Amino acid sequence: MASLYTKIVSKVLFPLHEKLKKHDTVRIRKQLEASQWLDAQTLHQRQSERLQQFIKTVAKHVPYYRQLFSTLGVKPEDIRSSADLVKLPFLDKATISANFDALKSDIAGPLARFNTGGSSGQPLIFLLGNERVSHDVAEKWRATRWWDVDIGDKEIVAWGSPIELGAQDKVRLFRDALFRSELIPAFDMTEQKLLSFLETIKSTKPKMLFGYPSVFDLLAKTAKQNNIQMDNLGIKVAFVTSERLYPYQRENIEAVFGCPVANGYGGRDAGFIAHQCPQGGMHLSYEDIVVEIVDPAGNPLPPGQSGEIVVTHLGTSEFPFIRYRTGDIAVMSDKQCACGRGLPMLESIEGRSTDFVVAADGTILHGLSLIYILRDMDSVEAFKIVQESVQHTHVQVVAKSGEVDLTMRDTIVTGLKSRLGDEVDITVESVTEIAAEKSGKYRYVISKVNVG
Ligand SMILES: [Zn+2]
């Protein structure tokens, strides 16, 4: 049962807030809640109609695409469904910055400038229109409600990015207070800070958690080590996003907080691409985002095959994202979810192409195969693996005892060599802490070797 406060926020305040911001979020969310139950064929047909409309508008009003269509000799009516998108080129970060002004529609409403650090390190500046924000918020709102929680329920947000926090202001704080969402700035985390975050969660008794999986995993570990009980607070779900969710993180968070973990995939640039439902399906935001999976040469791949995720966001006619390369690797599913929603699903998200490492013999391995070696060592507190080159991999280790001893060093070197090859040089550095990336995210494996 939702509390009265939740009902008021969900039914009155939030719609009002969105209306004031000229966002059409409530109407869109209601439409999305109806369309999610349609069968795949009807959904595809509707997506195609929306794509046609979107392409028509973009070809007419966005100088970059107006020029491109004419150069390529492609007519808007040549794009009838997602399969026709191959007629258009990919869009990447470099293209966006080189054509920033020409990507702005000549009938655009007010646009907000957005800056993303990007976990690949390459920053991106782009513009967000009201149409897009409304659709993004509505997609997230719909997926939130799949878990029997709603906007307005108490929420603890653990966000690791000093960049994103710095940009936000008092309006944001006001909004957080109004909608009962409390922000934990989760970077530079010391044991003391982690303990104080756990205290905040305990006294807040939130219905939901939201943030990076690495942060909640760390909080869960700290709670366990200090015998702090967290599974009796009534937390219904932990939404995690922005980083790859490892199976061991899911287990740890679920056990300690006593709630399921719901994975979300997407970013500010590409939009909220997929959300997990309680039955486990990673459902696409299909009404708003066209997803293609492509091989390294750029050819679309069928379900079941692994490739890069490329997205066309249909709410972006004011500053288009068409065939935008995410750099992430995933597999499309052709199955139907047990929940009954017709929304197609991603079978697995294998992370960024930089999550992979290359063995000396050229075999591409997932970083997870290296992670497990260190994670299974009781003497290891934290670590970071950097593949500097095919010949050299460097490992930073925080030992529980404070210093990495010979036995540990041996286990790490032997373990990594068994995966990467005997001839590979493995160096182990004993450190007192692992610094987060600039974005505030934690990455356990980084490869500087070009994969695929
Ligand atoms: Zn489902």
Side-chain angles (χ1 to χ4, degrees), residues 64-65 68 72 85-91 322-323:
Y64 173 79
Y65 280 102
L68 190 77
L72 296 172
L85 282 170
V86 290
K87 294 170 186 164
L88 299 175
F90 293 117
L91 185 68
I322 298 175
R323 306 199 84 206

Side-chain angles (χ1 to χ4, degrees), residues 12-25 130 174 178:
V12 184
L13 292 180
F14 188 75
L16 180 67
H17 170 79
E18 289 301 316
K19 202 168 186 167
L20 288 174
K21 284 165 75 187
K22 297 196 176 62
H23 297 157
D24 216 357
T25 314
N130 278 338
F174 169 75
L178 185 62

Side-chain angles (χ1 to χ4, degrees), residues 277 279 281 283 337-339 341:
C277 80
Q279 276 71 35
H283 291 285
C337 187
C339 74
R341 291 181 182 86

Side-chain angles (χ1 to χ4, degrees), residues 228-286:
I228 304 171
Q229 194 183 356
M230 301 298 291
D231 61 2
N232 58 349
L233 304 173
I235 301 171
K236 284 192 169 171
V237 55
F239 294 105
V240 298
T241 186
S242 275
E243 293 173 338
R244 188 191 149 90
L245 168 66
Y246 293 105
Y248 65 84
Q249 293 175 325
R250 180 189 285 278
E251 278 169 33
N252 195 27
I253 298 167
E254 291 187 340
V256 171
F257 292 101
C259 68
V261 168
N263 196 10
Y265 167 66
R268 283 284 161 78
D269 49 353
F272 302 122
I273 297 168
H275 295 95
Q276 197 171 28
C277 80
Q279 276 71 35
M282 279 300 283
H283 291 285
L284 295 177
S285 300
Y286 191 81

Side-chain angles (χ1 to χ4, degrees), residues 51-127:
L51 175 67
Q52 290 164 19
Q53 193 55 48
F54 168 74
I55 292 290
K56 222 158 99 186
T57 309
V58 166
K60 191 168 171 199
H61 292 290
V62 178
Y64 173 79
Y65 280 102
R66 200 158 50 211
Q67 179 68 47
L68 190 77
F69 273 81
S70 125
T71 311
L72 296 172
V74 175
K75 291 192 184 66
E77 49 274 26
D78 294 335
I79 314 292
R80 280 170 316 215
S81 78
S82 51
D84 295 322
L85 282 170
V86 290
K87 294 170 186 164
L88 299 175
F90 293 117
L91 185 68
D92 56 21
K93 289 180 179 177
T95 312
I96 293 174
S97 30
N99 299 279
F100 189 81
D101 290 325
L103 277 165
K104 196 173 144 179
S105 163
D106 56 28
I107 53 162
L111 296 168
R113 205 178 165 83
F114 207 88
N115 192 339
T116 134
S119 49
S120 59
Q122 199 181 357
L124 174 72
I125 299 168
F126 61 98
L127 299 173

